[in-house]
Short mmCIF file of all heavy atoms in Angstrom, two decimals:
data_model
loop_
_atom_site.label_atom_id
_atom_site.label_comp_id
_atom_site.label_asym_id
_atom_site.label_seq_id
_atom_site.Cartn_x
_atom_site.Cartn_y
_atom_site.Cartn_z
N SER A 1299 -15.41 33.51 -5.63
CA SER A 1299 -16.50 33.56 -6.59
C SER A 1299 -17.71 34.26 -6.01
O SER A 1299 -18.41 35.01 -6.69
CB SER A 1299 -16.88 32.11 -7.00
OG SER A 1299 -15.80 31.48 -7.67
N THR A 1300 -17.95 34.01 -4.72
CA THR A 1300 -19.10 34.64 -4.08
C THR A 1300 -18.87 36.14 -3.90
O THR A 1300 -19.74 36.95 -4.21
CB THR A 1300 -19.33 34.00 -2.69
OG1 THR A 1300 -19.54 32.59 -2.85
CG2 THR A 1300 -20.58 34.58 -2.01
N MET A 1301 -17.67 36.52 -3.44
CA MET A 1301 -17.39 37.94 -3.25
C MET A 1301 -17.40 38.68 -4.57
O MET A 1301 -17.83 39.85 -4.63
CB MET A 1301 -16.04 38.11 -2.54
CG MET A 1301 -15.76 39.56 -2.14
SD MET A 1301 -14.16 39.78 -1.32
CE MET A 1301 -13.04 39.49 -2.68
N ALA A 1302 -16.92 38.06 -5.64
CA ALA A 1302 -16.88 38.72 -6.94
C ALA A 1302 -18.27 39.11 -7.43
O ALA A 1302 -18.41 40.04 -8.22
CB ALA A 1302 -16.18 37.84 -7.95
N MET A 1303 -19.29 38.37 -6.97
CA MET A 1303 -20.66 38.70 -7.36
C MET A 1303 -21.06 40.08 -6.86
O MET A 1303 -21.95 40.72 -7.41
CB MET A 1303 -21.63 37.64 -6.87
CG MET A 1303 -21.51 36.31 -7.60
SD MET A 1303 -22.72 35.09 -7.03
CE MET A 1303 -22.23 33.71 -8.04
N ALA A 1304 -20.40 40.54 -5.80
CA ALA A 1304 -20.67 41.87 -5.28
C ALA A 1304 -20.30 42.96 -6.29
O ALA A 1304 -20.78 44.10 -6.20
CB ALA A 1304 -19.94 42.10 -3.98
N PHE A 1305 -19.41 42.63 -7.25
CA PHE A 1305 -18.99 43.62 -8.22
C PHE A 1305 -19.66 43.44 -9.58
O PHE A 1305 -19.26 44.07 -10.57
CB PHE A 1305 -17.45 43.49 -8.42
CG PHE A 1305 -16.68 43.75 -7.15
CD1 PHE A 1305 -16.22 42.71 -6.37
CD2 PHE A 1305 -16.42 45.06 -6.75
CE1 PHE A 1305 -15.51 42.94 -5.21
CE2 PHE A 1305 -15.67 45.30 -5.61
CZ PHE A 1305 -15.24 44.25 -4.81
N LEU A 1306 -20.66 42.59 -9.62
CA LEU A 1306 -21.36 42.35 -10.90
C LEU A 1306 -21.98 43.65 -11.45
O LEU A 1306 -22.63 44.38 -10.73
CB LEU A 1306 -22.50 41.32 -10.71
CG LEU A 1306 -22.17 39.85 -10.83
CD1 LEU A 1306 -23.37 39.03 -10.48
CD2 LEU A 1306 -21.68 39.51 -12.25
N PRO A 1307 -21.75 43.93 -12.71
CA PRO A 1307 -22.44 45.08 -13.33
C PRO A 1307 -23.88 44.71 -13.61
O PRO A 1307 -24.25 43.51 -13.67
CB PRO A 1307 -21.66 45.30 -14.61
CG PRO A 1307 -21.14 43.93 -14.96
CD PRO A 1307 -20.85 43.24 -13.68
N LEU A 1323 -19.43 32.95 -12.56
CA LEU A 1323 -19.19 32.96 -11.10
C LEU A 1323 -20.03 31.90 -10.39
O LEU A 1323 -19.57 31.29 -9.41
CB LEU A 1323 -19.50 34.33 -10.52
CG LEU A 1323 -18.54 35.46 -10.96
CD1 LEU A 1323 -19.01 36.79 -10.45
CD2 LEU A 1323 -17.11 35.16 -10.48
N ASP A 1387 -29.36 49.05 -5.92
CA ASP A 1387 -28.15 49.69 -6.46
C ASP A 1387 -26.87 49.14 -5.81
O ASP A 1387 -25.92 48.72 -6.50
CB ASP A 1387 -28.24 51.20 -6.25
CG ASP A 1387 -27.04 51.94 -6.84
OD1 ASP A 1387 -26.46 51.41 -7.82
OD2 ASP A 1387 -26.65 53.00 -6.30
N TRP A 1388 -26.85 49.13 -4.47
CA TRP A 1388 -25.61 48.70 -3.78
C TRP A 1388 -25.86 47.84 -2.55
O TRP A 1388 -24.96 47.08 -2.14
CB TRP A 1388 -24.79 49.92 -3.40
CG TRP A 1388 -25.51 50.91 -2.49
CD1 TRP A 1388 -26.23 52.00 -2.87
CD2 TRP A 1388 -25.59 50.85 -1.06
NE1 TRP A 1388 -26.75 52.64 -1.77
CE2 TRP A 1388 -26.38 51.97 -0.64
CE3 TRP A 1388 -25.07 50.01 -0.08
CZ2 TRP A 1388 -26.65 52.23 0.70
CZ3 TRP A 1388 -25.34 50.29 1.26
CH2 TRP A 1388 -26.12 51.38 1.64
N TRP A 1390 -27.60 45.13 -1.85
CA TRP A 1390 -27.59 43.66 -2.02
C TRP A 1390 -26.16 43.12 -2.09
O TRP A 1390 -25.94 41.90 -1.89
CB TRP A 1390 -28.36 43.28 -3.23
CG TRP A 1390 -27.75 43.69 -4.56
CD1 TRP A 1390 -27.99 44.84 -5.20
CD2 TRP A 1390 -26.81 42.95 -5.33
NE1 TRP A 1390 -27.25 44.88 -6.39
CE2 TRP A 1390 -26.52 43.72 -6.49
CE3 TRP A 1390 -26.20 41.70 -5.20
CZ2 TRP A 1390 -25.65 43.30 -7.49
CZ3 TRP A 1390 -25.30 41.28 -6.20
CH2 TRP A 1390 -25.04 42.07 -7.32
N ARG A 1391 -25.20 43.98 -2.38
CA ARG A 1391 -23.84 43.52 -2.59
C ARG A 1391 -23.13 43.17 -1.26
O ARG A 1391 -22.19 42.35 -1.25
CB ARG A 1391 -23.03 44.56 -3.35
CG ARG A 1391 -23.63 44.91 -4.71
CD ARG A 1391 -22.89 46.07 -5.39
NE ARG A 1391 -23.60 46.48 -6.58
CZ ARG A 1391 -23.43 45.94 -7.80
NH1 ARG A 1391 -22.56 44.96 -7.96
NH2 ARG A 1391 -24.09 46.39 -8.84
N TYR A 1392 -23.59 43.76 -0.19
CA TYR A 1392 -22.90 43.62 1.11
C TYR A 1392 -22.83 42.15 1.56
O TYR A 1392 -21.75 41.71 2.00
CB TYR A 1392 -23.63 44.47 2.18
CG TYR A 1392 -23.11 44.28 3.57
CD1 TYR A 1392 -21.87 44.83 3.94
CD2 TYR A 1392 -23.83 43.56 4.50
CE1 TYR A 1392 -21.40 44.64 5.22
CE2 TYR A 1392 -23.36 43.39 5.79
CZ TYR A 1392 -22.16 43.92 6.17
OH TYR A 1392 -21.65 43.73 7.41
N PRO A 1393 -23.93 41.34 1.50
CA PRO A 1393 -23.81 39.95 1.96
C PRO A 1393 -22.75 39.13 1.24
O PRO A 1393 -22.18 38.19 1.81
CB PRO A 1393 -25.23 39.38 1.73
CG PRO A 1393 -26.12 40.57 1.72
CD PRO A 1393 -25.29 41.67 1.12
N PHE A 1394 -22.47 39.47 0.00
CA PHE A 1394 -21.45 38.73 -0.74
C PHE A 1394 -20.06 39.05 -0.24
O PHE A 1394 -19.17 38.18 -0.30
CB PHE A 1394 -21.56 39.05 -2.25
CG PHE A 1394 -22.80 38.47 -2.90
CD1 PHE A 1394 -23.98 39.20 -2.94
CD2 PHE A 1394 -22.77 37.21 -3.45
CE1 PHE A 1394 -25.11 38.65 -3.54
CE2 PHE A 1394 -23.88 36.65 -4.03
CZ PHE A 1394 -25.07 37.38 -4.08
N PHE A 1395 -19.82 40.24 0.27
CA PHE A 1395 -18.56 40.56 0.93
C PHE A 1395 -18.41 39.74 2.23
O PHE A 1395 -17.35 39.23 2.55
CB PHE A 1395 -18.45 42.05 1.24
CG PHE A 1395 -18.21 42.91 0.04
CD1 PHE A 1395 -19.19 43.83 -0.33
CD2 PHE A 1395 -17.05 42.82 -0.69
CE1 PHE A 1395 -18.95 44.65 -1.46
CE2 PHE A 1395 -16.82 43.63 -1.79
CZ PHE A 1395 -17.79 44.55 -2.18
#
Side-chain angles (χ1 to χ4, degrees):
S1299 297
T1300 303
M1301 187 180 70
M1303 289 181 181
F1305 299 98
L1306 273 175
L1323 292 174
D1387 182 29
W1388 58 267
W1390 67 270
R1391 301 174 188 274
Y1392 175 74
F1394 289 90
F1395 287 115

